[in-house]
Amino acid sequence: MLKGWVAGEQDGWFTLRNSEVPGGEQTFYINAGPAPEAGRITDVNVVVNSKSPKASVGIALNNNARKSLCLLEIRADRNILLFCLEGQKRRDIASVPNVAKLDGSDRIKVVEVPGAARFIVNGQKIADVENEPALGSEIGIMAYDEGTFGIADFVITTNSGPKPTPASQQGGGLPARGGSGGRGAPQ
């Protein structure tokens, strides 16, 4: 954990809090490797609660060896941003206003096949990226700026074989999808 960040668990959510470092960023990665021919889906439920409109939580596709990153972020102002970095060069892919609900029901999906990825938020396609150097290495979760960030039901599945049952259907204590019922998102 970086300075100023605190991790915890609240009502089935993995929480990250930053109240000390404006503009601070915390990221966790797993080495997923290249997408299989049949494809794979990364699916996660996220929430951000912050007074800073630029505070965000999202999914990153990262390739350190190629110094490249693609990041989809849900911002506290309800906007979705998708951009890719190659070295210090930033390329904005999409900016879509008012897609996020910020009520604990926001879902990010990344559908990958070799050489391409589709980013989806709450069932709405944000954009596709192709032949980006960031693809095929690490998948991570990112939180940025001051606030409270929640992550739940992080699952990576391949398009071959049975899909696992999400924790929310196993009685994992997460809030009901759609923001109603349940214990709600972390505050």
Side-chain angles (χ1 to χ4, degrees):
M1 295 296 296
L2 298 176
K3 183 180 191 288
W5 288 86
V6 177
E9 187 274 334
Q10 178 183 330
D11 298 327
W13 291 85
F14 173 70
T15 61
L16 291 167
R17 288 184 172 84
N18 172 21
S19 58
E20 298 177 19
V21 184
E25 183 175 317
Q26 181 69 59
T27 312
F28 300 103
Y29 288 108
I30 62 167
N31 186 0
E37 284 297 321
R40 76 171 157 226
I41 299 171
T42 302
D43 186 9
V44 64
N45 181 205
V46 296
V47 69
V48 56
N49 183 350
S50 175
K51 291 182 172 86
S52 170
K54 291 183 178 180
S56 62
V57 64
I59 286 187
L61 303 179
N62 183 54
N63 190 325
N64 277 331
R66 299 178 79 183
K67 295 181 176 70
S68 182
L69 167 97
C70 288
L71 176 65
L72 179 130
E73 46 181 42
I74 293 179
R75 293 173 31 145
D77 62 6
R78 299 184 58 222
N79 293 325
I80 307 301
L81 293 180
L82 174 61
F83 62 90
C84 293
L85 296 171
E86 197 168 347
Q88 296 299 314
K89 183 181 169 193
R90 177 178 166 144
R91 188 167 59 89
D92 291 324
I93 309 291
S95 176
V96 185
N98 301 316
V99 173
K101 299 173 192 164
L102 305 182
D103 63 0
S105 69
D106 289 317
R107 294 201 76 80
I108 300 172
K109 287 187 181 184
V110 181
V111 180
E112 293 176 274
V113 294
R118 173 169 287 174
F119 292 84
I120 302 165
V121 176
N122 297 332
Q124 180 177 330
K125 176 184 160 188
I126 302 304
D128 293 336
V129 297
E130 293 182 48
N131 302 315
E132 287 290 338
L135 301 177
S137 184
E138 298 175 313
I139 298 172
I141 295 290
M142 178 281 316
Y144 170 76
D145 212 355
E146 294 179 280
T148 301
F149 310 87
I151 296 111
D153 288 343
F154 182 87
V155 178
I156 299 174
T157 56
T158 60
N159 288 340
S160 59
K163 295 187 188 299
T165 303
S168 60
Q169 294 176 7
Q170 297 173 356
L174 296 175
R177 301 292 174 243
S180 60
R183 289 173 247 177
Q187 300 293 317

